[in-house]
Amino acid sequence: MVVGVGGVPVGAAGDEDAGGTRRGVLRGLMVAAAGAALVPVALAAWPEETDGKNTDVRAGDGIFEETYRGRLIRGVPIPSPEQEAGDVDWHVTVDGRPLHLMRRADGSWLSMVDHYAPAPGHLDGGAHGVHA
Amino acid sequence: MAYTRKDVSTLTRTEKRRFVKAMLEVKRRGEYDEFVRTHIEYYTSDGEDDLRTAHMAPSFLPWHRQFLLDLEKALRRVDASVSVPYWDWTRDRTTTSAPWTADLLGGTGRRSDRQVMTGPFAYAEGNWRIKVGVTDEEFLTRDLGRARDPIQLPTKADLERALKDPVYDASPWDSTVGKGFRNKLEGWGSGRGSASWQNHNRVHRWVGGAMVGGASVNDPVFWMHHAFVDLVWSRWQRRHREHRYLPAKPPAPGSAQYRRVVARHEKLPPWDVTPDQLEDHGRIYRYA
Protein backbone atom coordinates (compact mmCIF):
# COMPACT_ATOMS: atom_id res chain seq x y z
CA MET A 1 0.00 0.00 0.00
CA VAL A 2 1.52 3.24 -1.06
CA VAL A 3 0.63 6.70 0.11
CA GLY A 4 1.36 9.76 -1.99
CA VAL A 5 2.67 12.97 -0.62
CA GLY A 6 -0.78 14.41 -0.18
CA GLY A 7 -1.97 11.41 1.81
CA VAL A 8 -3.91 10.03 -1.13
CA PRO A 9 -3.44 6.31 -1.70
CA VAL A 10 -1.96 5.62 -5.09
CA GLY A 11 -1.84 2.35 -6.90
CA ALA A 12 -3.65 0.53 -4.12
CA ALA A 13 -4.96 -2.90 -4.93
CA GLY A 14 -8.59 -2.66 -5.84
CA ASP A 15 -8.21 0.90 -7.04
CA GLU A 16 -10.94 0.97 -9.61
CA ASP A 17 -9.67 3.54 -12.02
CA ALA A 18 -10.30 1.65 -15.20
CA GLY A 19 -10.53 3.63 -18.37
CA GLY A 20 -8.37 6.47 -19.50
CA THR A 21 -6.29 7.07 -16.42
CA ARG A 22 -2.66 6.10 -16.56
CA ARG A 23 -2.77 3.46 -13.88
CA GLY A 24 -5.93 1.88 -15.25
CA VAL A 25 -4.38 1.57 -18.67
CA LEU A 26 -1.18 0.21 -17.18
CA ARG A 27 -2.98 -2.50 -15.24
CA GLY A 28 -4.86 -3.44 -18.36
CA LEU A 29 -1.57 -3.65 -20.16
CA MET A 30 -0.04 -5.94 -17.59
CA VAL A 31 -3.03 -8.24 -17.68
CA ALA A 32 -3.01 -8.23 -21.45
CA ALA A 33 0.69 -8.95 -21.52
CA ALA A 34 0.28 -12.24 -19.69
CA GLY A 35 -0.05 -14.68 -22.54
CA ALA A 36 -0.78 -12.03 -25.16
CA ALA A 37 1.70 -10.74 -27.69
CA LEU A 38 2.10 -7.05 -27.09
CA VAL A 39 3.99 -5.75 -30.05
CA PRO A 40 7.19 -3.79 -29.48
CA VAL A 41 6.17 -0.66 -31.32
CA ALA A 42 6.81 2.84 -30.10
CA LEU A 43 3.84 4.63 -31.46
CA ALA A 44 4.04 8.29 -32.19
CA ALA A 45 1.85 9.20 -35.13
CA TRP A 46 -1.02 11.53 -34.45
CA PRO A 47 -3.55 12.90 -36.87
CA GLU A 48 -2.28 16.47 -36.60
CA GLU A 49 1.29 15.49 -37.18
CA THR A 50 1.34 12.96 -39.99
CA ASP A 51 2.53 13.84 -43.45
CA GLY A 52 -0.59 12.22 -44.85
CA LYS A 53 1.16 9.23 -46.42
CA ASN A 54 -0.03 6.28 -44.39
CA THR A 55 -2.92 7.95 -42.72
CA ASP A 56 -6.48 6.85 -42.79
CA VAL A 57 -8.29 9.08 -40.39
CA ARG A 58 -11.99 8.54 -40.14
CA ALA A 59 -13.49 11.94 -40.51
CA GLY A 60 -15.69 13.34 -37.81
CA ASP A 61 -15.04 11.05 -34.87
CA GLY A 62 -11.39 11.79 -34.19
CA ILE A 63 -10.44 8.12 -34.31
CA PHE A 64 -7.11 7.45 -35.90
CA GLU A 65 -6.33 4.20 -37.67
CA GLU A 66 -3.25 3.25 -39.52
CA THR A 67 -1.56 0.15 -40.74
CA TYR A 68 2.13 0.34 -40.15
CA ARG A 69 4.49 -2.53 -40.85
CA GLY A 70 1.60 -4.91 -41.03
CA ARG A 71 0.15 -3.86 -37.69
CA LEU A 72 -3.07 -2.01 -37.14
CA ILE A 73 -2.58 0.99 -34.95
CA ARG A 74 -5.69 2.58 -33.66
CA GLY A 75 -6.09 5.64 -31.50
CA VAL A 76 -9.33 6.66 -29.84
CA PRO A 77 -9.50 10.06 -28.21
CA ILE A 78 -10.75 9.99 -24.66
CA PRO A 79 -12.62 13.11 -23.75
CA SER A 80 -12.08 14.18 -20.21
CA PRO A 81 -14.25 16.88 -18.59
CA GLU A 82 -11.46 18.33 -16.46
CA GLN A 83 -9.11 18.81 -19.36
CA GLU A 84 -8.82 21.95 -21.37
CA ALA A 85 -10.55 22.14 -24.70
CA GLY A 86 -8.38 20.61 -27.40
CA ASP A 87 -6.41 18.56 -24.90
CA VAL A 88 -7.23 14.90 -25.19
CA ASP A 89 -5.99 11.61 -23.90
CA TRP A 90 -5.62 8.76 -26.31
CA HIS A 91 -6.36 5.11 -25.87
CA VAL A 92 -4.11 3.39 -28.34
CA THR A 93 -4.13 -0.23 -29.42
CA VAL A 94 -1.86 -2.21 -31.68
CA ASP A 95 -3.64 -5.15 -33.28
CA GLY A 96 -6.31 -4.66 -30.65
CA ARG A 97 -3.99 -4.76 -27.68
CA PRO A 98 -3.49 -1.63 -25.61
CA LEU A 99 -0.23 0.24 -25.92
CA HIS A 100 0.37 2.29 -22.85
CA LEU A 101 1.48 5.82 -23.57
CA MET A 102 2.54 8.68 -21.39
CA ARG A 103 2.56 12.31 -22.35
CA ARG A 104 5.61 14.45 -21.73
CA ALA A 105 5.63 18.10 -20.76
CA ASP A 106 7.21 19.11 -24.06
CA GLY A 107 4.41 17.45 -26.01
CA SER A 108 6.24 14.30 -26.99
CA TRP A 109 5.25 10.79 -25.91
CA LEU A 110 6.73 7.80 -24.18
CA SER A 111 5.48 4.30 -24.72
CA MET A 112 5.97 1.23 -22.59
CA VAL A 113 8.57 0.01 -25.03
CA ASP A 114 10.60 3.17 -24.90
CA HIS A 115 10.86 5.01 -21.62
CA TYR A 116 14.09 6.87 -22.14
CA ALA A 117 13.71 8.78 -25.38
CA PRO A 118 10.73 10.72 -26.60
CA ALA A 119 8.79 9.94 -29.73
CA PRO A 120 8.07 13.38 -31.14
CA GLY A 121 4.83 12.68 -32.95
CA HIS A 122 6.00 11.76 -36.39
CA LEU A 123 5.87 8.33 -37.91
CA ASP A 124 9.63 8.33 -38.41
CA GLY A 125 10.05 8.90 -34.71
CA GLY A 126 8.07 5.75 -34.15
CA ALA A 127 9.92 3.82 -36.78
CA HIS A 128 13.04 3.41 -34.71
CA GLY A 129 10.85 1.98 -31.99
CA VAL A 130 9.69 -0.68 -34.42
CA HIS A 131 13.31 -1.60 -34.94
CA ALA A 132 13.79 -1.95 -31.19
CA MET B 1 29.71 -0.63 9.64
CA ALA B 2 29.49 0.65 6.08
CA TYR B 3 30.00 -1.90 3.33
CA THR B 4 31.63 -1.24 -0.03
CA ARG B 5 30.32 -1.04 -3.57
CA LYS B 6 33.06 -1.83 -6.03
CA ASP B 7 33.78 -0.94 -9.59
CA VAL B 8 32.41 -3.86 -11.62
CA SER B 9 35.66 -4.17 -13.59
CA THR B 10 37.52 -4.90 -10.35
CA LEU B 11 35.35 -7.74 -9.05
CA THR B 12 37.14 -10.98 -8.31
CA ARG B 13 35.90 -14.26 -9.73
CA THR B 14 34.47 -15.15 -6.37
CA GLU B 15 32.69 -11.84 -6.00
CA LYS B 16 31.13 -12.22 -9.42
CA ARG B 17 30.03 -15.74 -8.65
CA ARG B 18 28.45 -14.72 -5.37
CA PHE B 19 26.73 -11.73 -6.91
CA VAL B 20 25.21 -13.85 -9.67
CA LYS B 21 24.16 -16.56 -7.25
CA ALA B 22 22.42 -14.04 -4.99
CA MET B 23 20.61 -12.43 -7.94
CA LEU B 24 19.33 -15.77 -9.19
CA GLU B 25 18.10 -16.62 -5.73
CA VAL B 26 16.29 -13.30 -5.30
CA LYS B 27 14.67 -14.01 -8.66
CA ARG B 28 13.77 -17.55 -7.69
CA ARG B 29 12.15 -16.31 -4.50
CA GLY B 30 9.84 -14.06 -6.50
CA GLU B 31 11.24 -10.91 -4.91
CA TYR B 32 12.98 -9.74 -8.06
CA ASP B 33 9.82 -9.34 -10.09
CA GLU B 34 8.38 -7.08 -7.42
CA PHE B 35 11.19 -4.66 -8.18
CA VAL B 36 10.27 -4.79 -11.87
CA ARG B 37 6.66 -4.00 -11.02
CA THR B 38 7.54 -1.19 -8.66
CA HIS B 39 9.66 0.57 -11.24
CA ILE B 40 6.87 0.36 -13.80
CA GLU B 41 4.35 1.66 -11.32
CA TYR B 42 6.47 4.61 -10.27
CA TYR B 43 7.34 5.76 -13.75
CA THR B 44 5.04 8.75 -14.22
CA SER B 45 5.56 11.33 -16.90
CA ASP B 46 5.55 15.10 -16.63
CA GLY B 47 2.87 15.67 -19.25
CA GLU B 48 0.38 14.16 -16.86
CA ASP B 49 -0.90 15.30 -13.52
CA ASP B 50 0.33 12.64 -11.12
CA LEU B 51 3.01 12.97 -8.50
CA ARG B 52 6.40 12.25 -10.07
CA THR B 53 8.86 10.39 -7.93
CA ALA B 54 11.20 8.09 -9.83
CA HIS B 55 11.77 10.04 -13.06
CA MET B 56 11.53 13.48 -14.61
CA ALA B 57 11.72 14.96 -11.14
CA PRO B 58 14.24 16.07 -8.52
CA SER B 59 13.64 12.86 -6.58
CA PHE B 60 14.99 10.77 -9.49
CA LEU B 61 18.25 10.43 -7.57
CA PRO B 62 17.03 9.69 -4.03
CA TRP B 63 14.30 7.42 -5.39
CA HIS B 64 16.77 5.23 -7.21
CA ARG B 65 19.15 5.38 -4.25
CA GLN B 66 16.51 3.84 -1.99
CA PHE B 67 15.34 1.45 -4.72
CA LEU B 68 18.90 0.19 -5.10
CA LEU B 69 19.23 -0.18 -1.35
CA ASP B 70 16.11 -2.34 -1.25
CA LEU B 71 17.48 -4.67 -3.91
CA GLU B 72 20.82 -4.78 -2.16
CA LYS B 73 19.11 -5.72 1.10
CA ALA B 74 17.38 -8.57 -0.72
CA LEU B 75 20.73 -9.74 -2.09
CA ARG B 76 22.38 -9.51 1.32
CA ARG B 77 19.62 -11.60 2.87
CA VAL B 78 20.88 -14.35 0.60
CA ASP B 79 24.59 -13.58 0.99
CA ALA B 80 25.77 -10.85 3.35
CA SER B 81 29.04 -10.44 1.44
CA VAL B 82 27.30 -9.22 -1.71
CA SER B 83 26.84 -5.60 -2.74
CA VAL B 84 25.84 -4.03 -6.05
CA PRO B 85 28.89 -3.10 -8.15
CA TYR B 86 28.84 0.06 -10.24
CA TRP B 87 29.43 0.19 -13.97
CA ASP B 88 31.50 3.21 -14.98
CA TRP B 89 30.31 3.52 -18.57
CA THR B 90 32.59 6.45 -19.25
CA ARG B 91 35.45 4.01 -18.94
CA ASP B 92 34.09 0.52 -19.73
CA ARG B 93 32.62 1.36 -23.08
CA THR B 94 32.69 -1.73 -25.28
CA THR B 95 30.26 -4.58 -25.83
CA THR B 96 32.79 -7.10 -24.52
CA SER B 97 34.32 -5.33 -21.55
CA ALA B 98 33.00 -5.54 -18.01
CA PRO B 99 30.21 -6.16 -17.18
CA TRP B 100 29.37 -8.04 -20.41
CA THR B 101 31.39 -11.14 -19.67
CA ALA B 102 30.10 -14.71 -19.56
CA ASP B 103 30.79 -14.96 -15.84
CA LEU B 104 28.75 -11.92 -14.95
CA LEU B 105 26.01 -10.44 -17.16
CA GLY B 106 26.63 -12.24 -20.45
CA GLY B 107 26.78 -10.33 -23.71
CA THR B 108 24.60 -8.68 -26.29
CA GLY B 109 21.52 -10.25 -27.81
CA ARG B 110 21.64 -12.25 -31.01
CA ARG B 111 20.61 -10.53 -34.20
CA SER B 112 17.37 -12.33 -34.96
CA ASP B 113 15.46 -11.56 -31.78
CA ARG B 114 17.94 -9.76 -29.54
CA GLN B 115 17.83 -12.66 -27.15
CA VAL B 116 20.74 -12.82 -24.70
CA MET B 117 22.38 -16.21 -25.30
CA THR B 118 25.37 -16.08 -22.93
CA GLY B 119 25.90 -15.69 -19.23
CA PRO B 120 23.74 -16.67 -16.28
CA PHE B 121 20.75 -14.51 -17.29
CA ALA B 122 20.28 -16.09 -20.70
CA TYR B 123 16.87 -17.66 -21.07
CA ALA B 124 18.47 -20.92 -22.13
CA GLU B 125 20.10 -21.28 -18.72
CA GLY B 126 16.67 -21.66 -17.23
CA ASN B 127 17.09 -19.25 -14.31
CA TRP B 128 15.91 -15.93 -15.67
CA ARG B 129 12.47 -15.90 -17.19
CA ILE B 130 10.92 -12.52 -17.82
CA LYS B 131 7.64 -12.57 -15.93
CA VAL B 132 6.76 -8.87 -15.87
CA GLY B 133 7.52 -7.52 -19.30
CA VAL B 134 6.37 -5.25 -22.06
CA THR B 135 5.95 -8.06 -24.58
CA ASP B 136 5.23 -11.72 -24.01
CA GLU B 137 8.80 -12.68 -24.75
CA GLU B 138 10.17 -14.54 -21.77
CA PHE B 139 13.82 -14.08 -22.63
CA LEU B 140 16.08 -11.19 -21.71
CA THR B 141 16.97 -8.98 -24.66
CA ARG B 142 19.83 -6.59 -25.38
CA ASP B 143 21.21 -4.71 -28.33
CA LEU B 144 24.45 -3.29 -27.02
CA GLY B 145 25.40 -0.18 -28.93
CA ARG B 146 22.30 -0.47 -31.16
CA ALA B 147 23.87 -2.57 -33.89
CA ARG B 148 21.76 -1.37 -36.81
CA ASP B 149 22.44 2.31 -36.14
CA PRO B 150 25.25 2.55 -33.63
CA ILE B 151 25.33 4.96 -30.75
CA GLN B 152 28.01 5.59 -28.15
CA LEU B 153 27.84 5.60 -24.41
CA PRO B 154 28.11 8.97 -22.69
CA THR B 155 31.65 10.24 -22.24
CA LYS B 156 33.46 11.77 -19.29
CA ALA B 157 32.86 15.15 -20.94
CA ASP B 158 29.11 14.48 -21.06
CA LEU B 159 29.13 13.65 -17.40
CA GLU B 160 31.25 16.68 -16.59
CA ARG B 161 28.65 18.94 -18.15
CA ALA B 162 26.26 17.70 -15.49
CA LEU B 163 28.75 17.58 -12.64
CA LYS B 164 29.91 21.16 -13.02
CA ASP B 165 26.42 22.60 -12.60
CA PRO B 166 26.35 23.77 -9.00
CA VAL B 167 22.57 23.81 -8.66
CA TYR B 168 20.81 20.55 -7.94
CA ASP B 169 17.63 21.18 -9.94
CA ALA B 170 15.35 24.01 -11.06
CA SER B 171 11.72 24.84 -11.67
CA PRO B 172 9.59 23.36 -13.21
CA TRP B 173 11.46 20.33 -11.81
CA ASP B 174 10.71 18.12 -14.79
CA SER B 175 12.26 16.78 -17.99
CA THR B 176 12.29 20.17 -19.72
CA VAL B 177 14.70 21.84 -17.28
CA GLY B 178 17.79 23.11 -19.06
CA LYS B 179 19.87 23.79 -16.00
CA GLY B 180 20.65 21.96 -12.82
CA PHE B 181 22.57 18.78 -12.21
CA ARG B 182 19.62 16.39 -11.93
CA ASN B 183 18.10 16.70 -15.40
CA LYS B 184 21.53 16.88 -17.04
CA LEU B 185 22.38 13.60 -15.36
CA GLU B 186 18.98 11.99 -15.92
CA GLY B 187 19.46 13.07 -19.52
CA TRP B 188 16.29 14.62 -20.97
CA GLY B 189 17.37 17.06 -23.63
CA SER B 190 15.37 19.11 -26.07
CA GLY B 191 14.81 18.38 -29.71
CA ARG B 192 15.01 15.04 -31.40
CA GLY B 193 17.57 12.43 -32.16
CA SER B 194 20.46 11.47 -30.01
CA ALA B 195 20.94 14.95 -28.55
CA SER B 196 17.67 14.55 -26.74
CA TRP B 197 18.87 11.66 -24.61
CA GLN B 198 22.01 12.05 -22.57
CA ASN B 199 23.87 10.41 -19.73
CA HIS B 200 21.53 8.15 -17.74
CA ASN B 201 18.86 7.96 -20.47
CA ARG B 202 21.48 7.31 -23.12
CA VAL B 203 22.86 4.33 -21.27
CA HIS B 204 19.42 2.72 -21.16
CA ARG B 205 19.21 3.11 -24.91
CA TRP B 206 22.74 1.89 -25.50
CA VAL B 207 22.03 -1.37 -23.76
CA GLY B 208 18.81 -1.75 -25.71
CA GLY B 209 16.29 -4.56 -25.44
CA ALA B 210 14.54 -4.72 -22.09
CA MET B 211 16.54 -1.77 -20.77
CA VAL B 212 14.77 0.62 -23.14
CA GLY B 213 11.26 0.01 -21.94
CA GLY B 214 9.18 0.29 -18.82
CA ALA B 215 10.37 -3.12 -17.61
CA SER B 216 14.05 -2.13 -17.72
CA VAL B 217 14.67 -3.64 -14.29
CA ASN B 218 14.52 -7.06 -15.96
CA ASP B 219 18.13 -6.58 -17.01
CA PRO B 220 20.45 -6.89 -13.99
CA VAL B 221 22.67 -4.20 -15.52
CA PHE B 222 19.95 -1.79 -14.38
CA TRP B 223 21.38 -1.93 -10.85
CA MET B 224 24.98 -1.52 -11.89
CA HIS B 225 24.04 1.44 -14.06
CA HIS B 226 22.10 3.10 -11.27
CA ALA B 227 24.88 2.41 -8.78
CA PHE B 228 27.15 4.50 -11.00
CA VAL B 229 24.50 7.23 -11.33
CA ASP B 230 24.26 7.13 -7.54
CA LEU B 231 28.02 7.46 -7.25
CA VAL B 232 27.95 10.44 -9.61
CA TRP B 233 25.43 12.11 -7.30
CA SER B 234 27.85 11.59 -4.39
CA ARG B 235 30.66 13.12 -6.45
CA TRP B 236 28.49 16.11 -7.23
CA GLN B 237 27.74 16.60 -3.53
CA ARG B 238 31.44 16.57 -2.69
CA ARG B 239 32.19 19.07 -5.39
CA HIS B 240 29.41 21.46 -4.44
CA ARG B 241 29.25 21.02 -0.69
CA GLU B 242 27.08 24.03 0.01
CA HIS B 243 24.39 22.89 -2.43
CA ARG B 244 21.58 20.59 -1.38
CA TYR B 245 18.58 18.78 -2.81
CA LEU B 246 15.95 21.08 -4.29
CA PRO B 247 13.20 22.03 -4.02
CA ALA B 248 13.67 22.75 -0.34
CA LYS B 249 9.97 23.54 0.07
CA PRO B 250 7.01 22.12 -1.84
CA PRO B 251 5.66 24.13 -4.78
CA ALA B 252 2.80 26.32 -3.60
CA PRO B 253 -0.89 25.68 -4.35
CA GLY B 254 -1.59 27.35 -7.66
CA SER B 255 1.83 26.47 -9.03
CA ALA B 256 1.88 24.06 -11.95
CA GLN B 257 3.99 21.59 -10.00
CA TYR B 258 1.89 21.64 -6.84
CA ARG B 259 1.78 18.09 -5.46
CA ARG B 260 3.67 16.80 -8.46
CA VAL B 261 7.18 16.75 -7.04
CA VAL B 262 8.65 15.75 -3.68
CA ALA B 263 10.39 18.47 -1.68
CA ARG B 264 13.40 17.97 0.56
CA HIS B 265 11.53 17.09 3.75
CA GLU B 266 8.56 15.29 2.27
CA LYS B 267 8.16 11.54 2.23
CA LEU B 268 9.16 9.87 -0.98
CA PRO B 269 6.67 7.21 -2.07
CA PRO B 270 6.60 4.27 -1.74
CA TRP B 271 8.80 4.80 1.31
CA ASP B 272 8.59 6.88 4.48
CA VAL B 273 12.04 8.34 3.98
CA THR B 274 12.64 11.89 2.73
CA PRO B 275 15.16 13.11 0.13
CA ASP B 276 16.93 14.88 2.98
CA GLN B 277 17.42 11.59 4.80
CA LEU B 278 18.75 9.99 1.65
CA GLU B 279 21.37 12.60 0.88
CA ASP B 280 24.12 10.93 2.85
CA HIS B 281 24.71 7.22 2.39
CA GLY B 282 28.01 7.14 4.30
CA ARG B 283 26.72 5.14 7.22
CA ILE B 284 25.36 2.40 4.97
CA TYR B 285 27.80 2.04 2.08
CA ARG B 286 30.79 3.64 0.46
CA TYR B 287 32.16 3.50 -3.06
CA ALA B 288 35.57 2.04 -3.80
Side-chain angles (χ1 to χ4, degrees):
Chain A
M1 170 70 173
V2 167
V3 180
V5 166
V8 176
V10 295
D15 184 10
E16 294 306 309
D17 60 347
T21 65
R22 193 207 77 89
R23 285 202 161 78
V25 173
L26 180 59
R27 258 194 286 283
L29 182 90
M30 286 294 105
V31 168
L38 193 69
V39 286
V41 169
L43 173 70
W46 306 111
E48 324 82 60
E49 305 241 27
T50 62
D51 56 8
K53 276 198 226 141
N54 294 324
T55 303
D56 181 17
V57 180
R58 288 208 297 238
D61 53 11
I63 292 175
F64 169 74
E65 265 188 4
E66 168 166 340
T67 300
Y68 181 69
R69 295 195 141 227
R71 299 193 152 122
L72 179 65
I73 300 165
R74 193 162 186 269
V76 178
I78 302 163
S80 180
E82 66 266 9
Q83 278 168 342
E84 292 157 19
D87 190 24
V88 287
D89 267 340
W90 290 87
H91 179 60
V92 178
T93 56
V94 181
D95 287 348
R97 293 183 183 96
L99 177 71
H100 176 59
L101 292 161
M102 294 188 292
R103 192 204 304 258
R104 275 193 60 208
D106 68 354
S108 61
W109 297 83
L110 297 177
S111 75
M112 267 299 278
V113 293
D114 193 333
H115 265 46
Y116 299 96
H122 281 85
L123 200 54
D124 57 357
H128 81 73
V130 173
H131 295 153
Chain B
M1 197 190 115
Y3 56 86
T4 301
R5 288 184 182 169
K6 293 178 69 172
D7 183 321
V8 75
S9 66
T10 68
L11 291 182
T12 66
R13 259 207 320 266
T14 301
E15 285 167 336
K16 284 189 247 188
R17 198 170 29 85
R18 293 180 87 142
F19 176 82
V20 168
K21 199 151 169 253
M23 285 288 267
L24 296 183
E25 177 60 13
V26 168
K27 173 78 165 171
R28 192 196 65 78
R29 290 178 180 184
E31 296 172 21
Y32 196 87
D33 292 312
E34 282 311 306
F35 288 99
V36 183
R37 282 190 196 97
T38 298
H39 192 258
I40 290 172
E41 180 171 351
Y42 281 84
Y43 198 119
T44 43
S45 185
D46 54 11
E48 312 190 338
D49 294 328
D50 309 326
L51 173 71
R52 298 191 306 281
T53 50
H55 305 91
M56 301 191 185
S59 53
F60 163 68
L61 290 170
W63 196 94
H64 282 84
R65 172 165 286 180
Q66 182 61 51
F67 191 50
L68 199 49
L69 267 171
D70 283 356
L71 182 274
E72 208 166 44
K73 278 188 232 157
L75 290 173
R76 290 168 76 78
R77 280 195 292 271
V78 176
D79 181 342
S81 76
V82 169
S83 62
V84 176
Y86 62 90
W87 170 33
D88 181 349
W89 26 259
T90 66
R91 223 197 39 229
D92 297 310
R93 309 174 61 72
T94 75
T95 61
T96 49
S97 63
W100 312 111
T101 52
D103 61 353
L104 192 55
L105 293 188
T108 194
R110 67 181 177 187
R111 219 159 45 160
S112 57
D113 57 4
R114 292 298 155 216
Q115 180 178 167
V116 171
M117 306 300 296
T118 56
F121 305 101
Y123 179 79
E125 290 294 312
N127 299 314
W128 202 260
R129 265 181 46 219
I130 305 300
K131 302 222 173 84
V132 181
V134 175
T135 66
D136 66 352
E137 293 165 344
E138 290 195 314
F139 47 83
L140 179 62
T141 53
R142 289 184 191 132
D143 181 12
L144 301 185
R146 200 173 69 176
R148 268 198 206 89
D149 181 16
I151 54 176
Q152 298 306 313
L153 284 161
T155 61
K156 283 189 179 16
D158 293 328
L159 212 48
E160 175 60 19
R161 241 173 267 129
L163 275 165
K164 72 182 186 196
D165 197 318
V167 176
Y168 179 79
D169 203 341
S171 177
W173 319 108
D174 63 9
S175 70
T176 68
V177 180
K179 50 188 178 168
F181 166 66
R182 189 273 312 166
N183 197 35
K184 289 181 184 174
L185 177 57
E186 190 178 351
W188 297 100
S190 55
R192 287 157 64 172
S194 60
S196 63
W197 22 274
Q198 294 293 329
N199 289 324
H200 155 269
N201 282 359
R202 174 171 284 256
V203 176
H204 273 272
R205 300 194 61 76
W206 186 90
V207 176
M211 271 285 276
V212 173
S216 53
V217 172
N218 276 305
D219 193 327
V221 78
F222 176 92
W223 308 103
M224 301 178 179
H225 170 38
H226 273 277
F228 184 58
V229 169
D230 188 81
L231 167 55
V232 171
W233 182 24
S234 292
R235 284 183 184 162
W236 179 87
Q237 289 172 314
R238 280 201 301 271
R239 203 197 283 206
H240 307 282
R241 285 194 185 278
E242 67 283 14
H243 287 276
R244 305 276 316 281
Y245 177 94
L246 294 173
K249 299 219 168 64
S255 121
Q257 295 297 320
Y258 176 61
R259 287 177 152 216
R260 293 171 68 194
V261 294
V262 177
R264 189 185 299 168
H265 299 286
E266 293 183 304
K267 291 193 175 158
L268 178 57
W271 305 285
D272 280 341
V273 72
T274 66
D276 179 69
Q277 291 166 324
L278 284 165
E279 277 197 292
D280 180 9
H281 61 71
R283 266 180 304 179
I284 308 172
Y285 59 89
R286 52 173 286 274
Y287 285 104

